[in-house]
Amino acid sequence: DAGVIQSPRHEVTEMGQEVTLRCKPISGHDYLFWYRQTMMRGLELLIYFNNNVPIDDSGMPEDRFSAKMPNASFSTLKIQPSEPRDSAVYFCASRSDTWDEKLFFGSGTQLSVL
Amino acid sequence: AQSVTQPDIHITVSEGASLELRCNYSYGATPYLFWYVQSPGQGLQLLLKYFSGDTLVQGIKGFEAEFKRSQSSFNRRKPSVHGSDAAEYFCAVGSGANNLFFGTGTRLTVIP
């Protein structure tokens, strides 16, 4: 398996533009997570899905952020409109529904909002 | 409130020296505890985890971690550090993998 795949690896955009981050989880994994990593706040859970259904979105910072999982193999995180304070590395992770509790992370998307 | 504290933002050690990465947590229930490693430009990889049982957990590459309930700590140790250990290390706590709270990380630099 290729692991969790995120795209793009880097995104540079201007304030006010819409940004869409993409994630393909590992096949067969029931859970998908979106995390944001910044120097000041470290890793923060934004939202997670179980079987394509959003379970906990309490970490989504504000209404400008939205996430979808239309099927088991694809998820998007959208920011509209983007702001400079959204600049961070966004990680997607997935895991299977086993006792193992092991998260598999993608390589992240480095987002810079100018 | 749940929180994880990694008091050392950056640690520099010489190759062959011993190492301890500190992690303290605040959690309302019996925690699950994890250590993850992040190499430059990469996502995080699980190194070891503690759910229950023996409080000394063995991980990969000679690392181990010890859960001390009385101190709310889950420190990670290695008797002899190698250059390839240089990375950023994250401690995490939760009631499971669905609601992990991560520390802000400790960056390890190894001097040859």
Side-chain angles (χ1 to χ4, degrees), chain B residues 4-5 7 20-26 31 33 35 50 55 65-77 91 93:
Chain B
V4 178
T5 302
E20 181 172 57
L21 301 177
R22 295 185 292 166
C23 173
N24 293 96
Y25 67 89
S26 173
L33 296 155
W35 274 101
Y50 172 79
T55 57
E66 186 172 14
F67 170 55
K68 292 186 177 179
R69 186 186 300 274
S70 61
Q71 299 177 16
S72 296
S73 69
F74 190 54
N75 296 343
R76 192 156 164 269
R77 300 189 294 263
C91 179
V93 63

Side-chain angles (χ1 to χ4, degrees), chain A residues 9 31 33 35 37 40-43 45 48 91 95 99-107, chain B residues 32 34 36 38 41-46 49 51 90 95-100 102-104:
Chain A
R9 287 297 303 271
Y31 292 85
F33 304 78
Y35 282 88
Q37 184 179 33
M40 292 300 297
R41 300 173 67 88
L43 268 167
L45 177 64
Y48 81 90
F91 286 102
R95 76 172 185 93
W99 68 272
D100 185 74
E101 304 275 355
K102 181 176 179 178
L103 289 174
F104 293 81
F105 283 80
S107 298
Chain B
Y32 288 14
F34 304 80
Y36 280 83
Q38 182 179 25
Q42 301 296 316
L44 282 75
Q45 291 183 299
L46 179 67
K49 59 184 183 290
F51 294 167
F90 292 87
S95 60
N98 294 351
N99 62 346
L100 289 180
F102 282 83
T104 50

Side-chain angles (χ1 to χ4, degrees), chain B residues 2-3 15 26 29 31 33 41 43 47-48 57 60 68 78 83 89 92 101-102 112:
Chain B
Q2 298 91 336
S3 67
E15 198 159 11
S26 173
L33 296 155
L47 289 174
L48 49 77
V57 182
I60 62 174
K68 292 186 177 179
K78 187 171 185 179
Y89 294 87
F101 293 88
F102 282 83

